[in-house]
Amino acid sequence: MSSEIPWTTLIALVELAVGVIILLYAAYTAFTVRRGLVVPLYRSRALWLGVLAILLASLFIFLVGSVLPSVTVALNHHIAGLVFYGGVLLPTFVVLLVWIDRTNETLIRLDYRRRDILGWKKVRLLYYVDIALFAVFYVIFLGPAPGYGYYQSSVPHAVMSFVGTYGVVLLLIALAYGSFVLVVGSIRTHDLTFRNHVKWLGPSLGTVLLAIVMTGIAPPVGYFIWIIFAYCWYRMARSLVPFNKLQGQRTPAE
């Protein structure tokens, strides 16, 4: 096989496989931990974490098609494109961005003084406007045939290029700002369990930004960064076991 497939492709495939395994194990860990939790706040975290881990594992599986074009050719390009772009990639980004908002709101509620974090309360509406615009631009950029994109659209190429570029910018802005708020909020909170949980969530979102950039420049490097992201996701699932069970602290109620 090594004589037929370049070594860089083999490395990318191994990295994607490792990422899928870690994410699926993270989902299993999250659902398993959830059964032993009694605090609604932590149970909600575990459920969101498990669902997102499955979505992300599906995303990794579809990336195999970009590494091995023969896999994509064997499938119906229209159906595969619709499932990936509309059923996996967009829901993953939207659910992730909404989860960031819920996490930041939880961090604010855990503060007995209800202090705002870097103006999150004031710009929350703009944050959701950003998400809505990103979703609209994303759908427009797909064009009339998922899997082919705007190249088969009658809209001028320059217009669609602007739409695609602006959509990516909107996504990066939301991820960057949400991640920064998460880091600051995790430092402020006195809930040790949630602090440990968010401690891994912040870096995982940071690796998303780096992985998106590096995957386009150097795919093997980008896929390795995705493995780091998957590991952070697994550690988030492990971190949901409450510290207060050992330390006798009062558990927060959602």
Side-chain angles (χ1 to χ4, degrees):
M1 179 180 295
S2 59
S3 61
E4 300 175 359
I5 302 178
W7 66 271
T8 53
T9 301
L10 288 175
I11 292 176
L13 288 174
V14 171
E15 290 173 339
L16 287 173
V18 171
V20 170
I21 293 173
I22 295 176
L23 285 170
L24 290 178
Y25 188 64
Y28 169 78
T29 302
F31 293 136
T32 302
V33 169
R34 184 176 184 271
R35 291 201 297 266
L37 298 174
V38 295
V39 180
L41 185 148
Y42 298 150
R43 288 178 60 85
S44 175
R45 293 291 97 191
L47 178 61
W48 279 78
L49 184 69
V51 171
L52 276 169
I54 293 175
L55 284 172
L56 291 164
S58 301
L59 175 62
F60 274 45
I61 292 173
F62 271 95
L63 286 177
V64 174
S66 64
V67 177
L68 291 177
S70 59
V71 175
T72 304
V73 173
L75 301 173
N76 185 294
H77 210 58
H78 291 273
I79 296 178
L82 178 61
V83 173
F84 175 70
Y85 291 109
V88 176
L89 188 59
L90 180 59
T92 299
F93 281 130
V94 172
V95 172
L96 179 62
L97 292 171
V98 173
W99 190 34
I100 291 174
D101 169 67
R102 287 177 58 89
T103 304
N104 289 335
E105 284 294 301
T106 300
L107 287 170
I108 294 174
R109 292 203 312 272
L110 287 174
D111 186 354
Y112 71 96
R113 295 174 58 185
R114 299 295 190 273
R115 292 175 298 174
D116 197 2
I117 305 175
L118 301 178
W120 185 259
K121 290 181 178 180
K122 299 177 181 177
V123 301
R124 189 185 182 197
L125 178 60
L126 293 177
Y127 179 80
Y128 273 99
V129 170
D130 184 285
I131 296 176
L133 287 175
F134 161 70
V136 170
F137 280 27
Y138 181 97
V139 173
I140 293 175
F141 189 71
L142 287 181
Y148 287 91
Y150 63 83
Y151 294 104
Q152 302 234 337
S153 173
S154 59
V155 180
H157 178 79
V159 175
M160 296 308 295
S161 296
F162 171 79
V163 169
T165 302
Y166 190 62
V168 172
V169 170
L170 289 172
L171 173 64
L172 295 179
I173 289 175
L175 283 174
Y177 178 55
S179 300
F180 196 45
V181 173
L182 278 171
V183 172
V184 175
S186 64
I187 295 174
R188 287 185 182 180
T189 184
H190 295 287
D191 184 272
L192 297 181
T193 300
F194 210 80
R195 176 187 294 179
N196 194 40
H197 173 68
V198 178
K199 178 182 69 176
W200 288 101
L201 179 56
S204 72
L205 297 177
T207 57
V208 168
L209 299 176
L210 184 58
I212 290 175
V213 175
M214 292 306 300
T215 300
I217 299 175
V221 177
Y223 296 144
F224 179 77
I225 297 174
W226 281 116
I227 292 179
I228 299 176
F229 164 80
Y231 176 74
C232 292
W233 218 253
Y234 163 72
R235 290 304 300 265
M236 278 192 289
R238 288 289 302 274
S239 67
L240 285 174
V241 178
F243 279 98
N244 43 39
K245 285 188 176 181
L246 299 177
Q247 299 181 1
Q249 295 180 355
R250 182 180 178 183
T251 56
E254 188 172 25

